[in-house]
Amino acid sequence: DSGVTQTPKHLITATGQRVTLRCSPRSGDLSVYWYQQSLDQGLQFLIQYYNGEERAKGNILERFSAQQFPDLHSELNLSSLELGDSALYFCASSPTGGRSPLHFGNGTRLTVT
Amino acid sequence: AQSVTQLGSHVSVSEGALVLLRCNYSSSVPPYLFWYVQYPNQGLQLLLKYTTGATLVKGINGFEAEFKKSETSFHLTKPSAHMSDAAEYFCAVSNFGNEKLTFGTGTRLTIIP
C-alpha cells in the first residue's frame, strides 16, 4: 500500500460530460502529481502541485484542470470529455519534488462512451 | 529537455534466467534515474533509484541497475527470474531543478515456466 488514495476506482461517463477525480496523498507529502496512462500515449505527466500551488505543467489539455486544497488533497477535473480521454489517471505524491521518489495511487480508470 | 528510451516493449525470459531490461536516457544535466514496476490493476511501485554516488544501485525484489554515464544507460537486471516478476517496468528520469518525472514507454516482462 503506497498510502496514496484515489477515488473513484472506475468511472464510466458519456462524451461531453464532466468528471472529478480525487486524490489523497501520503501523510506528510506536500507534492501531488497527476499522470495519464493510455495505450497509445504511455504515461504522460499532466500537472504538479506543491503545497497548494501549481509547480509544473505537462501535457494537460485546456479542458482539464486541477487544484490542491489546504488539506493537501487534490482534484483533477476533466470536462467536455471525448472518447480519447479514456485512460487510467494516476495520482502520485512525494515529500517535496520529483527528485524524491513518487508514490503512486492505484489509479482511476475513466471510460468515455 | 529530458527523455527516456526503453528498448523492447516486450521481453520474455525463462524462470531462473537472467532478466535484462534496457533503458537509455537523454539529459542535459546530471540525471536522477528511477525504475518503477506496475503489476496488473495497480499503480507504479518504485524498484530503485539513482541520484548520486555509487553507480550500481540495488533495489527491491533482487533487482539492480547500473548507471553508465558514458553510455547514457541505466539498464535493469536480475540474476534469476521468478514468476512473480511478470509485470510492466518503467524507466524514468528527472533533472535537478525539473521536478517532474519523464517516463519511458515501458517494457512488459513475461516469465516462461
Side-chain angles (χ1 to χ4, degrees):
Chain A
D1 182 7
S2 67
V4 179
T5 304
Q6 288 189 249
T7 56
K9 290 183 180 179
H10 302 276
L11 203 47
I12 302 174
T13 189
T15 54
Q17 295 299 305
R18 173 189 170 93
V19 297
T20 297
L21 312 183
R22 182 188 168 99
C23 169
S24 293
R26 284 193 326 161
S27 177
D29 284 358
L30 299 178
S31 207
V32 169
Y33 301 75
W34 287 97
Y35 281 84
Q36 178 194 59
Q37 186 179 36
S38 61
L39 283 175
D40 54 345
Q41 300 276 357
L43 264 168
Q44 296 285 316
F45 168 70
L46 297 179
I47 198 163
Q48 177 204 359
Y49 280 83
Y50 176 78
N51 203 22
E53 299 290 326
E54 183 182 304
R55 178 67 67 94
K57 222 169 187 177
N59 302 323
I60 188 166
L61 300 173
E62 284 191 12
R63 301 182 285 108
F64 296 180
S65 65
Q67 55 184 325
Q68 186 179 28
F69 295 87
D71 67 353
L72 301 178
H73 91 271
S74 178
E75 293 181 355
L76 179 66
N77 300 296
L78 314 176
S79 62
S80 303
L81 286 168
E82 302 175 358
L83 295 178
D85 297 328
S86 296
L88 257 176
Y89 291 84
F90 285 107
C91 170
S93 72
S94 73
T96 55
R99 287 161 284 162
S100 305
L102 301 188
H103 297 268
F104 282 79
N106 286 339
T108 293
R109 182 172 293 281
L110 174 66
T111 303
V112 182
T113 62
Chain B
Q2 56 195 33
S3 65
V4 170
T5 301
Q6 290 185 243
L7 297 176
S9 57
H10 291 85
V11 170
S12 296
V13 302
S14 298
E15 190 175 14
L18 172 71
V19 175
L20 170 60
L21 304 183
R22 300 178 186 273
C23 171
N24 288 87
Y25 69 90
S26 172
S27 174
S28 57
V29 296
Y32 287 66
L33 295 160
F34 305 82
W35 276 100
Y36 283 82
V37 60
Q38 185 179 26
Y39 298 102
N41 301 313
Q42 292 187 26
L44 280 72
Q45 178 185 359
L46 179 69
L47 272 179
L48 49 80
K49 64 175 180 177
Y50 168 79
T51 53
T52 58
T55 57
L56 183 62
V57 181
K58 294 187 184 299
I60 62 172
N61 302 337
F63 284 93
E64 62 182 35
E66 187 171 9
F67 170 63
K68 291 188 176 180
K69 184 178 178 180
S70 61
E71 298 177 9
T72 60
S73 69
F74 191 57
H75 301 331
L76 182 71
T77 60
K78 182 174 180 178
S80 178
H82 191 272
M83 295 300 295
S84 61
D85 295 327
E88 187 144 21
Y89 292 79
F90 292 90
C91 182
V93 63
S94 172
N95 289 338
F96 180 86
N98 181 358
E99 296 185 348
K100 70 179 181 69
L101 282 184
T102 298
F103 285 87
T105 51
T107 296
R108 184 168 299 278
L109 177 64
T110 300
I111 310 299
I112 304 167

